[in-house]
Amino acid sequence: MPVFVDEKTSLFHLQAKNMSYIFRIMNGYPVHGYWGKKLNHQRGLVHLFRPYAKDFLDRLPQEYPQYGSGDHRNPAYQIRLEEDGSRISELVYKNHRIVKGKPKLAGLPAVYTETDKEAETLEVVLTDPYSGLEAILSYTVFKVFDCLARSVRFTNKGKQTIRLLRALSASVDFPDNRFDVLYLSGAWSREAHIRRRPIGPGITAIESRRGASGHQLNPFMALLSPNADEDQGEVYGFSFVYSGNFLIAAEVDQFFTTRVSVGINPFDFSWKLAPGESFQTPETVMVYSSRGIGEMSRTFHRLYRTRLARGVYRDKERPILVNNWEATYFNFNEEKLVKIAKAAAELGIELFVLDDGWFGKRDDATTSLGDWQEDRRKLPRGLAGLAKRVNDLGLKFGLWVEPEMVSPESELYKKHPDWCLHVKGRRRTLARNQLILDLSRQDVREYIIETFSGIFSRVPVSFVKWDMNRNMTEIGSEKWPADRQMEIAHRYILGLYEILERLTSAFPHILFENCSSGGGRFDPGMLYYMPQTWTSDNTDAVERLKIQYGTSLVYPISAIGSHVSAVPNHQVGRVTPLATRGHVAMSGNFGYELDLTKLTEKEKKLVKEQVARYKQIRRLVQQGDFYRLLSPFEGNETAWMFVSEDKKEAVVFYFRVLSEPHPPRKRLLLKGLDPDRVYRLGEKAEYFAGDQLMGAGIPLRLPREDFTSLLFRLSAAT
Ligand code: DGJ
């Protein structure tokens, strides 16, 4: 079994397929010993731990470090006792238990097991006798995934109120500092750019203070051995299963050790724990790879695709869609939409998604969020009438919604001006002309659930694009007392999760797509409720190479929405060939976002081919193993490929941004194939051995033009 306990030495050894994680109780403290390649032998592990002086905690590698007793590094948690104002605590070991499988985290998204045989969970109970604070450190170790899922549950078992000032989900002390740090940074329409640099003394931190995970920094960080690349070297990936303010910090101290801390951002956070109350932290997933960044990504992909994403669409091929946003923006009517849907049906597209602008008086982004009644000027037969016409064309119907928001210019706001996040006596800052509904309030949550349950029951909706287009300001709630105002940002996220849980359970046949002005909330928390995300509002093929490549570090391809749009591109003005736009979009969850009625006959023919081609390869793209071959962050070329689990099928995409004079003869080295098999390349009778494709590569014949792309299919002939 994956959790071994040596009672004699109070040592815990969590063992996954190729990974071990070891800690031990010393003088009551859970002390970190090792995280890395699997150690098979149980003996001798105690030598991983050095004796330490009780008053010198600054040198002690810990599992969940406290504040105030000599460890001056980042603590994992911090409290204040409301009676005397003191901030000291000392959590010591009380007992532990091992649970088969993985218990659910109340009210929070988390990875799960389908049978108890898949994992074991070790729960270590710590207590601070003086305050009565109890913390249960939870570690789930999986049989087939090289990862741990960690979280903490606090309970106030004492008699006085305790305030949590910091309640992180995981802390890991590495014995040295020989690491690079890797993370994803960006902005609206420039999401998920890869950053890598060596860490040094001090703190390297990424965080969000926006109330959402954000476009700017994704809740993911990895420590890499300096020699690590896609295929080799040690990689420790941390991914936080949460959609709000987060902190991931790597602190190198005076002794050249490195502490990684992951959790809810302590900035503007505190949580009051009255006697008897509990607080559950979100979960951190920690992946280990001894075979480079690629292997880390494939572990995240498999885990998140099959044991984080849920619902009937988890394992299903996703429909090819057309979305009217870039085709019409707010300027449409039923006839225009039906024309687009008709053109889509003729091209083999399977789903029509109606985007923003269908409700209230929403002719632009200034009004009507909150007034979720059809605009009869645009849709005389309402949503149901439009959906019926779309369905009659053989397409499914999808709908855009932005339930978390309210426009000041709306009936809802007139009726309930107190329903948005705000602070009395302060201005209400608008962003995209809108305010955020206060999801920490039960009445607001009920309104949202009732409104959208009504729409989803009345209209034959099979797809919902759930958008969220601004970050939090003036974070406060009229419903909660003064001493709980610093809980509101987290209570909002808990409220959002409750709404999503209830709506996705009530409408299991609906495929939900997460969106926040593109990738502003592309995080594992949202993936638990919605198996796919609109990756970026930037639909330019060249920009998308970077965005999709970066996103693939953590997130499965089945989660990455990617559409072909018109040229000149609406975000950057670039003109790229339709074939290349198609190949970039086919490398994810495929769709179109342009006015299909305006295509020329030649373009129609190509789109038809693209749709047909994607139908052939989509299972492989959405569920295969993903290998990155050439990075857009390192040069003019990008390439990636998808391989089936049995290694019998593969599809390879190659992109070159700018044409080059006198280029060298190019060969693209493949990965992940079976070296002993012979593969047929494309439809032609060209055969190559797996070892040849990986060692010597496929010769590339490229036209003399910018923005070129190639697609190859491989199938095993032996
Ligand atoms: C932001 C989204 O990312 C876009 O795709 C589109 O749905 C707009 N919102 C609509 O307002």
Side-chain angles (χ1 to χ4, degrees), residues 188 323 325 330 355-357 362 365 400 402 432 465 467-469 515-519 534 536-537 593:
W188 171 76
N323 177 303
W325 180 240
F330 296 100
D355 212 282
D356 195 356
R362 196 155 162 94
W400 175 97
E402 194 176 0
R432 210 192 189 212
K465 176 178 174 187
D467 205 351
M468 191 286 282
N469 283 304
C515 175
S516 172
S517 304
W534 177 228
S536 175
D537 279 350
E593 189 157 334

Side-chain angles (χ1 to χ4, degrees), residues 560-576:
I560 297 178
S562 45
H563 302 167
V564 173
S565 64
V567 289
N569 174 266
H570 293 193
Q571 291 76 38
V572 296
R574 189 176 285 127
V575 178
T576 52

Side-chain angles (χ1 to χ4, degrees), residues 259-290:
R259 169 169 294 172
V260 175
S261 316
V262 186
I264 292 179
N265 199 337
F267 174 84
D268 201 33
F269 165 87
S270 80
W271 198 274
K272 186 174 154 187
L273 272 187
E277 285 183 351
S278 292
F279 180 83
Q280 172 66 57
T281 75
E283 176 163 282
T284 297
V285 173
M286 299 165 29
V287 167
Y288 170 73
S289 158
S290 61

Side-chain angles (χ1 to χ4, degrees), residues 248-520:
I248 308 183
E251 179 178 13
V252 174
D253 73 352
Q254 57 185 326
F255 305 113
F256 305 112
T257 72
T258 306
R259 169 169 294 172
V260 175
S261 316
V262 186
I264 292 179
N265 199 337
F267 174 84
D268 201 33
F269 165 87
S270 80
W271 198 274
K272 186 174 154 187
L273 272 187
E277 285 183 351
S278 292
F279 180 83
Q280 172 66 57
T281 75
E283 176 163 282
T284 297
V285 173
M286 299 165 29
V287 167
Y288 170 73
S289 158
S290 61
R291 287 184 293 160
I293 303 165
E295 192 60 23
M296 173 200 74
S297 297
R298 284 184 289 280
T299 301
F300 273 125
H301 291 182
R302 258 175 265 133
L303 180 72
Y304 283 180
R305 182 167 56 76
T306 64
R307 292 295 180 268
L308 178 65
R310 300 176 302 166
V312 290
Y313 278 93
R314 186 188 75 176
D315 304 327
K316 269 201 190 161
E317 292 180 15
R318 308 290 165 74
I320 301 174
L321 64 83
V322 61
N323 177 303
N324 75 307
W325 180 240
E326 285 200 18
T328 65
Y329 295 102
F330 296 100
N331 185 16
F332 59 80
N333 58 30
E334 185 179 309
E335 292 317 311
K336 175 75 204 167
L337 299 176
V338 170
K339 275 189 193 145
I340 296 177
K342 196 158 171 276
E346 283 161 9
L347 296 165
I349 292 171
E350 299 155 320
L351 166 72
F352 172 85
V353 181
L354 171 57
D355 212 282
D356 195 356
W358 57 264
F359 51 92
K361 300 189 188 89
R362 196 155 162 94
D363 293 332
D364 54 35
T366 59
T367 82
S368 303
L369 292 167
D371 298 345
W372 298 103
Q373 294 86 28
E374 296 92 323
D375 180 348
R376 297 272 166 180
R377 294 170 308 160
K378 293 180 187 173
L379 304 175
R381 274 168 273 216
L383 283 174
L386 172 67
K388 172 148 192 334
R389 290 184 73 186
V390 169
N391 288 161
D392 288 348
L393 290 165
L395 264 73
K396 295 200 161 165
F397 181 71
L399 189 65
W400 175 97
V401 295
E402 194 176 0
E404 299 164 62
M405 298 292 153
V406 61
S407 307
E409 203 177 299
S410 66
E411 294 306 315
L412 183 71
Y413 190 68
K414 264 188 225 153
K415 227 162 114 192
H416 298 290
D418 57 326
W419 272 17
C420 61
L421 289 179
H422 67 279
V423 175
K424 267 198 179 158
R426 301 284 170 190
R427 73 184 162 101
R428 299 179 180 194
T429 303
L430 298 180
R432 210 192 189 212
N433 313 297
Q434 61 201 53
L435 295 163
I436 306 187
L437 288 173
D438 176 2
L439 303 197
S440 75
R441 293 172 63 138
Q442 185 72 36
D443 50 358
V444 173
R445 296 199 293 275
E446 293 305 333
Y447 146 81
I448 292 177
I449 291 166
E450 205 184 299
T451 306
F452 290 94
S453 298
I455 297 172
F456 301 160
S457 315
R458 189 167 57 76
V459 183
V461 176
S462 31
F463 177 96
V464 165
K465 176 178 174 187
W466 183 292
D467 205 351
M468 191 286 282
N469 283 304
R470 63 157 292 181
N471 291 150
M472 293 181 189
T473 54
E474 291 91 30
I475 301 170
S477 171
E478 272 192 32
K479 264 279 144 109
W480 293 92
D483 62 351
R484 287 201 181 266
Q485 290 297 315
M486 281 169 85
E487 299 175 6
I488 300 304
H490 180 55
R491 285 193 183 277
Y492 178 97
I493 299 294
L494 293 178
L496 171 65
Y497 290 155
E498 182 193 313
I499 293 169
L500 294 178
E501 182 66 39
R502 285 173 58 187
L503 283 176
T504 53
S505 318
F507 299 93
H509 65 283
I510 294 181
L511 171 57
F512 281 84
E513 179 172 82
N514 166 39
C515 175
S516 172
S517 304

Side-chain angles (χ1 to χ4, degrees), residues 521-532:
R521 213 164 49 182
F522 201 142
D523 59 61
M526 296 305 284
L527 193 54
Y528 180 72
Y529 303 98
M530 311 196 192
Q532 61 188 61

